[in-house]
Amino acid sequence: MPRQRPRTSNKQMDRTDLEKAFNHRVQTECSHKEAAEKFGVKKTTLVDAFNRSKKEANGVTYVPVPGKVNMVFTPEQEGLIVKYTIQAAQMFYGLPRIEVRRMVYNYAHACKSKSIPEAWERNRMATTDWYYSFMERHPDLVLKAPEGMSIARIVAFNKVNVETFFKAYTLALEKYQFTPDRIFNLDESSLSTVMKPCKVVCARGKPVATQVTRERGETMTFVGIISAAGQAVPPVFIIPRARWNPTFMRNTSFGSKGILHPSGWMNGDCFVQTLQHLHERSGSSDENKILLIMDNAECHMNINVVEFAIRHGIVIVTLPPHTTDKLQPLDVSVFGPFKTFLRALLNDHALMHPNEHITVHQLPEFACDAWTKAANPANILSGYRATGIWPVNRLIFPDEAFVGAQVTERPAPPEDFVVEVGPPSSDGANSSDGEDQPPASQVIDLPDLSPTLEDDPDDPTGTAWPDPGTAAPGPNTATPGPNTATPGPNTATPGPSTATPGPSTATPGPSTATPGSSTTTPGSSTQSTPPSITPEAVRPFPKAANQRPYGKGKKRLRACILTENEEAIVDLRVKAAKKQKLEEKKKAVAGKKSGVPRKKKPAPVPESSEEDDVRVLLDDSSEYSDDSEEFTESSYPFLDKEPEAGDFVLVRLALEEGRGVGTSVCYVAHVLVTLEGSRLNLSFLRMKSAILRNTFTFPNIPDESEVDAGHCLGVVKVSKGATKRQADLIKVFPPLVPFNMHY
């Protein structure tokens, strides 16, 4: 904390009395003591005032006591620091305490402050004493622990997406003239039999208060539906069970519906049943349509859902992705109180029934009681009003609400994508006429301040500025728009400015003037002044380096009237066909693993020579498949040829050692060389399986020997492995089942 010496007395002097005593002595020429006693000030203080006047003025003019001469920043500069820190926090990139101290130190050097303490120079940051004094001088600043925020939510909630949604929404309102009682909002929320405990009263000093709960509970999906007239539709529960039990919906609200699903999560089929529930409660039809506002979750984007909605008069308007926390009434004002009431009910039940756990049979009952309390007309109407859905208010969100999206802002997409699925045209045009338009606001990278702020002998301010008509680089420089007046010396162009408020646009104040130019509005003439250095010039706001190009990645369904968007419906049909094909493929794989026989497709046998037959790939669909007839030793189909180098032969030899000495067994061998005297130099293979008797491999240590050609039963037909894994495998077909093979 800053050092503040406590006062040892209550003697305080009014500075106005000192000035009165000074002026009285000047007018009456009385003594210091007489003037001091008359106005109740100290004589020495009055003497110091006259000495200060003689030193800094003419001796008869009162000079007030100088303020804090050692202040590092002026009040205006501290105001800019406060504004910068608040704006950084609004952009979801707030500065920690140590980062604020570093930024302040660099800002002090950029402002060329003459009162930078030595402690700042040693640590290259402001001291903690200055930081705490700064926080006390500005009570609107406070140090808080931030909550995590998804980057997808920050980026998605921008002015373009909000305008896209309201364009589709108002188009549906104007077309069908919906009244508030025909406008509905639907969303899901997860419920658990074990929720976060409520706060309890306990002894001070204990680090953590504990309460008896289950370690893990069961979850189910709760579906809430509300209308813009302040009414709530009975809820729907997705219960994690496969069989129905009447106790699931015991003591629930009249009209509530339970849907069974093994996982308890929403999917396409369960959502169709949910729409059936809404259709029954609202009485929708082609003559009396309803408007349903929902997010574009995966379980909602189903062709069966769209077709059901079209048949039963339900007009669906989807919300932009990752914007439900701002644009969905249920998330804004209903689900929060609902979870609070539900947690209190579960906590009360745990206190009244110790050692008794809540099950999925009881959870719908507690949820309905909490829903009745939370989904009241006041909360529902507040949610629709806060989102601007009813009454319709396109400008419900100020420009400060979109400041977080400016970190990753990029040029606006084409206007015709409002009711389209997928990215815009491949040429990347930003307008319908094909001309590239600049973004609404643009952050310009700042150059180093040292070469910019050089002394110029022709510039009385000591600052070198660009040529007239050229905007000086800086974070507060507005990007010229189509209707923006071009600055220049003594040039006036009437017309409104199109600069958009935001962190990267022009801000009213001394820092928004363009150096080297004068701007004149109708009826007045004002000469611009050089801008002061801002903290943003020292530490620019975060800005994404690479802008994401359009048309990259999978298609994202934006806000649109889903039931009337032909391209979206076609895309959902294609998606459903792909999903069905994938499921059929999974079933086929599962059937193969379970041992269910599958039909084999006969492969055509090309006409080839015997040499080509040796190089046939390992394939069960050959002419000698496992389903072919059984052979004997005499009927086995050997190749009709004499053994040659490179052939594979079946050799019968008698065992010379080990068990079964003298027994004749068969081997598969590779002919290396044909020798004189009807002898063959063979390399023997090892059999992989004694049951199949069709797969062989060469041993790690070659087993070579000379054998008389009379022991060769014949040349067998083989295939070699085509993949790297099967490179060392030799498959013989048909299998050598009739022979007594050595294993």
Side-chain angles (χ1 to χ4, degrees):
M1 295 296 292
R3 293 185 294 271
Q4 295 180 353
R5 185 179 64 84
R7 296 186 61 88
T8 58
S9 66
N10 294 327
K11 297 180 180 179
Q12 296 184 9
M13 180 184 62
D14 191 355
R15 294 295 177 180
T16 58
D17 294 339
L18 177 62
E19 185 176 0
K20 292 178 182 178
F22 183 92
N23 295 331
H24 176 74
R25 184 181 181 279
V26 171
Q27 296 173 1
T28 61
E29 297 183 357
C30 62
S31 63
H32 293 90
K33 182 178 180 180
E34 181 180 355
E37 291 178 351
K38 183 175 181 179
F39 291 94
V41 298
K42 289 184 178 181
K43 175 184 175 183
T44 55
T45 305
L46 183 60
V47 172
D48 291 341
F50 274 96
N51 293 336
R52 185 168 58 253
S53 177
K54 293 177 182 178
K55 182 178 180 180
E56 301 180 10
N58 53 8
V60 295
T61 303
Y62 176 76
V63 178
V65 179
K68 299 179 180 180
V69 295
N70 294 328
M71 290 186 63
V72 182
F73 301 107
T74 63
E76 293 77 11
Q77 292 171 341
E78 282 202 0
L80 294 177
I81 296 175
V82 172
K83 182 180 178 181
Y84 175 84
T85 54
I86 293 177
Q87 189 168 348
Q90 291 176 347
M91 297 175 67
F92 307 100
Y93 288 91
L95 303 181
R97 179 171 53 188
I98 191 169
E99 190 63 30
V100 171
R101 294 165 57 190
R102 291 196 185 102
M103 182 270 294
V104 167
Y105 168 77
N106 295 330
Y107 183 51
H109 276 282
C111 295
K112 298 181 179 179
S113 176
K114 300 180 180 179
S115 302
I116 301 179
E118 295 182 359
W120 289 30
E121 297 291 353
R122 287 196 305 268
N123 301 325
R124 302 188 65 82
M125 66 174 66
T127 58
T128 55
D129 287 347
W130 182 92
Y131 168 78
Y132 287 116
S133 298
F134 173 75
M135 298 294 287
E136 284 188 359
R137 291 193 298 272
H138 303 281
D140 50 343
L141 296 179
V142 65
L143 186 67
K144 290 184 178 181
E147 296 181 355
M149 172 66 73
S150 171
I151 185 64
R153 290 187 178 273
I154 298 175
V155 175
F157 188 71
N158 52 65
K159 189 171 294 187
V160 174
N161 283 345
V162 173
E163 291 177 354
T164 299
F165 164 71
F166 276 104
K167 184 175 181 180
Y169 170 64
T170 54
L171 182 63
L173 286 183
E174 295 173 357
K175 184 175 181 179
Y176 298 104
Q177 298 296 320
F178 290 112
T179 55
D181 59 319
R182 310 301 292 173
I183 301 176
F184 294 89
N185 176 223
L186 179 149
D187 193 24
E188 300 90 357
S189 182
S190 177
L191 303 182
S192 176
T193 55
V194 177
M195 300 189 69
K196 183 180 178 181
C198 300
K199 292 184 178 181
V200 296
V201 180
C202 61
R204 184 182 297 274
K206 190 174 181 180
V208 179
T210 58
Q211 189 170 359
V212 176
T213 60
R214 294 177 63 183
E215 294 183 359
R216 186 177 181 181
E218 294 185 88
T219 59
M220 66 171 57
T221 301
F222 173 87
V223 184
I225 308 173
I226 57 176
S227 71
Q231 301 172 350
V233 178
V236 178
F237 298 91
I238 312 297
I239 303 173
R241 290 292 185 273
R243 295 183 180 181
W244 179 258
N245 192 324
T247 58
F248 288 146
M249 306 304 293
R250 181 179 54 193
N251 298 331
T252 57
S253 303
F254 176 77
S256 301
K257 185 173 183 177
I259 302 175
L260 300 180
H261 190 272
S263 66
W265 294 93
M266 177 69 78
N267 62 3
D269 297 335
C270 294
F271 193 68
V272 172
Q273 300 182 50
T274 303
L275 288 187
Q276 176 68 30
H277 173 72
L278 176 61
H279 163 66
E280 294 172 355
R281 293 298 166 184
S282 62
S284 61
S285 62
D286 290 337
E287 295 77 17
N288 190 16
K289 295 180 180 292
I290 64 172
L291 176 63
L292 177 61
I293 301 173
M294 66 180 190
D295 55 38
N296 55 0
E298 185 70 19
C299 57
H300 298 170
M301 299 296 101
N302 189 291
I303 187 60
N304 297 329
V305 172
V306 177
E307 291 176 350
F308 180 90
I310 294 175
R311 290 195 307 267
H312 295 84
I314 302 177
V315 180
I316 298 178
V317 174
T318 60
L319 294 167
H322 307 292
T323 59
T324 55
D325 59 326
K326 298 293 183 63
L327 291 176
Q328 185 152 246
L330 279 168
D331 287 343
V332 171
S333 65
V334 180
F335 275 161
F338 167 67
K339 291 296 183 68
T340 302
F341 286 127
L342 179 60
R343 187 173 60 178
L345 291 174
L346 297 182
N347 185 73
D348 294 343
H349 182 272
L351 295 177
M352 297 298 296
H353 303 83
N355 201 25
E356 180 179 333
H357 301 305
I358 298 174
T359 64
V360 293
H361 298 261
Q362 301 169 293
L363 192 56
E365 177 183 353
F366 290 108
C368 285
D369 293 342
W371 180 251
T372 303
K373 297 179 181 179
N376 56 64
N379 288 345
I380 295 174
L381 294 177
S382 176
Y384 276 95
R385 184 168 49 253
T387 55
I389 295 178
W390 193 267
V392 180
N393 185 3
R394 292 173 175 263
L395 305 178
I396 189 66
F397 300 105
D399 294 330
E400 292 77 9
F402 308 108
V403 68
Q406 295 181 1
V407 177
T408 55
E409 67 181 356
R410 52 181 176 171
E415 296 182 356
D416 56 356
F417 87 106
V418 175
V419 291
E420 289 186 0
V421 177
S425 59
S426 58
D427 57 0
N430 294 333
S431 60
S432 57
D433 57 359
E435 297 181 359
D436 293 334
Q437 300 293 338
S441 59
Q442 181 179 359
V443 174
I444 303 176
D445 294 335
L446 289 174
D448 190 5
L449 294 176
S450 55
T452 305
L453 302 178
E454 295 177 352
D455 294 335
D456 188 357
D458 299 332
D459 187 3
T461 61
T463 304
W465 299 105
D467 295 334
T470 304
N476 296 326
T477 304
T479 303
N483 299 324
T484 305
T486 304
N490 302 327
T491 302
T493 305
S497 174
T498 60
T500 304
S504 59
T505 59
T507 305
S511 60
T512 59
T514 304
S517 64
S518 62
T519 305
T520 306
T521 57
S524 64
S525 177
T526 304
Q527 182 71 23
S528 63
T529 57
S532 60
I533 300 176
T534 61
E536 186 179 355
V538 177
R539 189 185 186 279
F541 289 117
K543 184 67 177 177
N546 299 324
Q547 296 181 346
R548 298 165 296 170
Y550 294 111
K552 194 171 184 179
K554 67 177 184 178
K555 293 183 179 181
R556 298 296 302 274
L557 181 63
R558 299 182 180 272
C560 66
I561 305 177
L562 183 61
T563 51
E564 298 181 2
N565 192 334
E566 294 296 336
E567 188 173 355
I569 296 174
V570 171
D571 185 72
L572 292 178
R573 286 198 177 98
V574 173
K575 181 180 177 181
K578 291 182 179 179
K579 183 177 180 181
Q580 183 179 2
K581 186 177 180 180
L582 181 61
E583 291 178 353
E584 292 177 354
K585 185 177 180 180
K586 289 182 178 180
K587 289 181 180 179
V589 174
K592 181 180 178 181
K593 291 182 178 180
S594 61
V596 178
R598 59 173 181 171
K599 297 181 179 179
K600 297 183 178 180
K601 299 180 180 180
V605 180
E607 297 180 359
S608 59
S609 62
E610 295 180 355
E611 295 182 358
D612 295 337
D613 292 340
V614 179
R615 299 178 177 85
V616 177
L617 299 180
L618 294 174
D619 190 359
D620 291 339
S621 61
S622 61
E623 56 178 340
Y624 298 108
S625 64
D626 296 340
D627 298 336
S628 59
E629 60 178 339
E630 296 182 0
F631 299 97
T632 62
E633 290 188 6
S634 59
S635 63
Y636 187 84
F638 290 104
L639 295 179
D640 188 13
K641 60 178 295 187
E642 293 295 329
E644 298 177 357
D647 290 340
F648 288 86
V649 296
L650 183 65
V651 182
R652 176 174 290 171
L653 300 173
L655 292 176
E656 298 179 354
E657 59 182 9
R659 298 178 58 182
V661 176
T663 305
S664 298
V665 293
C666 297
Y667 301 87
V668 174
H670 181 226
V671 180
L672 300 178
V673 181
T674 57
L675 304 175
E676 296 180 357
S678 300
R679 295 186 64 82
L680 302 174
N681 189 4
L682 304 179
S683 176
F684 291 89
L685 283 70
R686 299 291 183 265
M687 187 167 57
K688 297 284 292 184
S689 173
I691 300 177
L692 299 178
R693 301 189 180 189
N694 64 344
T695 306
F696 299 83
T697 182
F698 288 97
N700 295 331
I701 301 176
D703 185 7
E704 300 179 359
S705 178
E706 293 184 6
V707 179
D708 189 85
H711 295 288
C712 181
L713 300 182
V715 180
V716 295
K717 190 174 184 179
V718 300
S719 64
K720 298 181 180 180
T723 64
K724 183 178 180 180
R725 182 180 179 184
Q726 298 177 344
D728 298 332
L729 297 181
I730 304 297
K731 186 172 182 180
V732 179
F733 51 90
L736 302 173
V737 177
F739 302 94
N740 183 22
M741 302 297 298
H742 180 267
Y743 181 67

